[in-house]
Amino acid sequence: KKNLQINNIKIAFKDTILDGKGIIKIEGNKTNILTDFYIDYIDISKFYPSETFKVKERSINANKKEKKIKKIKLEEKKRNIFEISKNIILNSSLSAKKIIYKDIELHNTEINLSKKKDIIITMKAENFFKSKVSSKFIINKNMQYNVYFYFKNLELASLNKFYNINLIRGNLNIETNLEGKLDKSEKFYYTATGSSSLLGNEIIINNINLIAFKKNIKKLNSLNQIKEAKKTLLVGDTNIGALKIKLLHKNEIINLPLTKLKSEDEIFSISGEYNMKTNNIELKTDYDNDNSLLSLFSINTKGKLSDPKTKLSFNDSAVKTMLIKIAEKEIKKKIKKKLEKNFDNIIENLLD
């Protein structure tokens, strides 16, 4: 049995200083490693290779020496991390006051990595797009994983700015549970299945005004007026307020099952999907009420997440038929009202 205690570990790289301590215990063929590290500040962006380095590296890959190294590394990758570290028991923690990556700035981050039977990685942090975030990632020896994320009060305005999108704003609580099997050729979330629950408040759909469009459609007298009504759909926003939806994950597809949303007193049905690989979104929105004319219109949003296009779809013949029926109904109401008035006048004259 051997013990090695290391205090006052200090590692400096670029402008980052890592402080820590550790204990290594060796019992037979087992090695138990316990470490604690602290970083005041780290900018992860600085540790990514520059374009100049990447070009040089690609050039080196062409020679025989690099091909040989690449082959050795490929053989090593065939062994998973459990085979490489089968005699190691690990428990390591990292505290960071501030972690920066591009425009993302995390505060008071706590990360723990442990490995015994399974590998377990947990993280807690503040200020992830203004939210508090916690996560847990578990991997077993068969490289199957379970992952849990929770974001509290995520600010969509900050998220939109980072990803250059402008679909929706407000604040969300997001709870995600996923499972899958790690594949070296794919990012882990492309192999995942599971679900996400979203609870939102002060939610506003940008650049789609469903309420104004509804008011103009109800005033329609002819198909020629639809063009003008469509303009109101794309001017202004729709205030949803509170939001509760569930998303389904399957590989690279995030699916939104048919879900009802409410704005003012109007109820809408929305469904669709997002493809993480292609970054394409496809949504369909319908009015969910007793108005037969409104039910003939669908709002379709498709395209890249950063610049989706919204189009109005409807069947000309069906809308025209409905407008004729509405017009006939109005005419009958007017005739009935006029006949009732004339009848009342006749009765009054007879009584006189």
Side-chain angles (χ1 to χ4, degrees):
K1 182 176 179 180
K2 297 178 181 179
N3 291 344
L4 175 62
Q5 184 165 332
I6 307 171
N7 296 316
N8 301 317
I9 299 172
K10 192 175 287 288
I11 304 170
F13 38 99
K14 296 194 177 183
D15 60 347
T16 301
I17 298 175
L18 180 69
D19 294 300
K21 60 183 180 179
I23 301 173
I24 300 174
K25 297 179 180 180
I26 301 173
E27 297 179 8
N29 65 342
K30 296 290 184 182
T31 302
N32 195 324
I33 302 172
L34 177 65
T35 62
D36 290 295
F37 292 102
Y38 172 79
I39 294 177
D40 185 64
Y41 163 90
I42 184 171
D43 187 345
I44 298 174
S45 307
K46 294 181 180 180
F47 298 93
Y48 281 85
S50 65
E51 279 303 313
T52 304
F53 178 82
K54 289 177 183 178
V55 171
K56 186 178 179 181
E57 187 180 44
R58 283 194 291 267
S59 177
I60 294 171
N61 285 342
N63 65 45
K64 292 181 180 180
K65 184 179 178 181
E66 188 62 28
K67 285 181 179 179
K68 187 177 180 181
I69 294 171
K70 192 175 180 181
K71 186 179 179 180
I72 293 169
K73 288 183 177 179
L74 191 62
E75 289 300 318
E76 288 177 351
K77 283 186 177 180
K78 289 180 180 178
R79 300 168 61 204
N80 68 37
I81 193 168
F82 286 92
E83 293 172 333
I84 295 169
S85 62
K86 64 180 180 179
N87 294 323
I88 296 175
I89 298 170
L90 175 67
N91 197 316
S92 182
S93 65
L94 170 68
S95 298
K97 192 172 182 181
K98 187 183 290 186
I99 297 176
I100 294 175
Y101 173 67
K102 295 182 179 180
D103 293 330
I104 298 174
E105 187 174 303
L106 298 181
H107 297 167
N108 303 321
T109 303
E110 299 286 340
I111 301 172
N112 185 268
L113 167 63
S114 65
K115 184 261 172 184
K116 194 173 182 180
K117 182 180 177 182
D118 298 328
I119 293 174
I120 302 174
I121 305 168
T122 62
M123 186 192 80
K124 289 184 179 180
E126 298 173 1
N127 201 49
F128 182 76
F129 299 115
K130 305 295 177 70
S131 76
K132 290 183 177 180
V133 57
S134 60
S135 66
K136 188 173 186 178
F137 198 93
I138 303 172
I139 312 168
N140 66 23
K141 64 180 181 180
N142 297 316
M143 303 307 285
Q144 295 169 325
Y145 67 83
N146 292 87
V147 61
Y148 169 84
F149 293 105
Y150 181 67
F151 304 92
K152 185 177 181 181
N153 207 29
L154 183 78
E155 186 186 76
L156 290 171
S158 299
L159 187 72
N160 291 344
K161 184 179 178 182
F162 182 81
Y163 286 104
N164 192 30
I165 57 178
N166 190 33
L167 286 176
I168 190 171
R169 64 186 190 269
N171 296 285
L172 286 177
N173 290 343
I174 305 174
E175 188 171 19
T176 298
N177 286 282
L178 303 174
E179 62 180 23
K181 186 170 183 177
L182 292 178
D183 184 340
K184 291 169 186 173
S185 64
E186 293 279 17
K187 295 177 180 177
F188 86 88
Y189 42 84
Y190 290 164
T191 65
T193 59
S195 64
S196 293
S197 298
L198 281 66
L199 291 175
N201 59 81
E202 300 178 357
I203 299 297
I204 295 173
I205 300 174
N206 297 326
N207 305 316
I208 297 179
N209 195 334
L210 295 170
I211 299 300
F213 178 71
K214 169 200 167 183
K215 291 176 181 177
N216 280 275
I217 288 297
K218 290 179 79 171
K219 296 176 184 177
L220 281 184
N221 293 315
S222 70
L223 289 174
N224 296 330
Q225 294 175 316
I226 292 178
K227 188 175 180 180
E228 287 301 313
K230 183 182 175 182
K231 290 179 181 178
T232 63
L233 173 66
L234 303 176
V235 176
D237 307 317
T238 300
N239 191 337
I240 299 297
L243 174 76
K244 184 178 181 180
I245 62 176
K246 186 173 184 178
L247 303 175
L248 302 178
H249 300 253
K250 187 172 182 181
N251 301 328
E252 71 270 22
I253 302 296
I254 301 176
N255 182 265
L256 172 62
L258 189 64
T259 302
K260 293 186 179 182
L261 304 177
K262 189 174 182 180
S263 178
E264 297 182 10
D265 293 326
E266 193 63 47
I267 297 174
F268 311 96
S269 293
I270 185 169
S271 62
E273 66 178 39
Y274 170 60
N275 188 313
M276 291 186 286
K277 277 189 176 179
T278 62
N279 201 31
N280 281 334
I281 191 170
E282 185 172 335
L283 295 172
K284 182 184 178 186
T285 306
D286 296 295
Y287 289 88
D288 191 349
N289 60 26
D290 297 329
N291 189 294
S292 300
L293 181 58
L294 272 173
S295 67
L296 298 177
F297 291 87
S298 290
I299 296 111
N300 298 292
T301 303
K302 295 182 180 180
K304 296 294 181 183
L305 189 63
S306 58
D307 188 29
K309 306 300 180 185
T310 297
K311 293 183 179 180
L312 182 67
S313 65
F314 59 93
N315 183 294
D316 285 18
S317 177
V319 172
K320 187 175 181 179
T321 301
M322 185 59 64
L323 287 173
I324 291 171
K325 288 182 179 180
I326 292 172
E328 289 175 345
K329 190 176 180 180
E330 286 298 316
I331 291 170
K332 287 179 181 178
K333 281 172 66 178
K334 288 180 180 179
I335 292 173
K336 184 180 178 183
K337 189 174 181 181
K338 191 170 183 179
L339 288 173
E340 287 175 349
K341 186 176 180 181
N342 290 337
F343 181 76
D344 290 341
N345 289 336
I346 292 170
I347 295 298
E348 285 179 8
N349 291 332
L350 288 173
L351 291 173
D352 289 343

